[in-house]
Amino acid sequence: LAVDAFVQGRQLVFQEVYVSGPGNVLLGKGKLDLQENDIDMEFRSYGTVVTSDPSFFETLARGLGAAVMRVKIDGTLDEPHIQTTPLPVLQNPLGLLGR
């Protein structure tokens, strides 16, 4: 876990939040209102599994980068709303081709 943040007025501004686990890395940014406890964060998930002979899907996931998973967190610290969106780029496959 690594965090690059600063206080600006009543907000804690997260310029970069880096969380790593055995098979995944989350990289995000956002804000936390220190008076109201309102949170607005967005993370992107990146796969970290590296093998000597990566599969087609591992190679595709590395190439898509941020498209692997999007995690949006808003609401309050007491009642956060967490929304995940898997493979947003692949929701429109022609978008990969520029059409």
Side-chain angles (χ1 to χ4, degrees):
L1 173 67
V3 177
D4 181 10
F6 61 91
V7 175
Q8 183 177 35
R10 62 186 234 178
Q11 292 191 337
L12 179 58
V13 179
F14 297 94
Q15 290 184 305
E16 185 174 85
V17 178
Y18 175 85
V19 182
S20 65
N24 195 333
V25 169
L26 290 175
L27 183 61
K29 61 183 179 177
K31 296 179 181 179
L32 171 64
D33 185 310
L34 297 170
Q35 289 181 352
E36 301 294 325
N37 284 334
D38 291 332
I39 189 165
D40 184 16
M41 303 279 300
E42 184 171 315
F43 291 88
R44 301 291 175 152
S45 174
Y46 300 83
T48 60
V49 178
V50 178
T51 63
S52 59
D53 187 20
S55 72
F56 169 76
F57 291 109
E58 287 176 319
T59 304
L60 179 61
R62 282 191 210 127
L64 290 175
V68 174
M69 178 76 68
R70 176 179 172 258
V71 180
K72 173 79 174 154
I73 304 171
D74 57 16
T76 66
L77 290 178
D78 293 329
E79 294 184 28
H81 177 256
I82 301 170
Q83 178 183 2
T84 59
T85 308
L87 300 171
V89 170
L90 293 181
Q91 288 178 354
N92 180 4
L94 293 179
L96 289 173
L97 305 175
R99 295 185 177 197

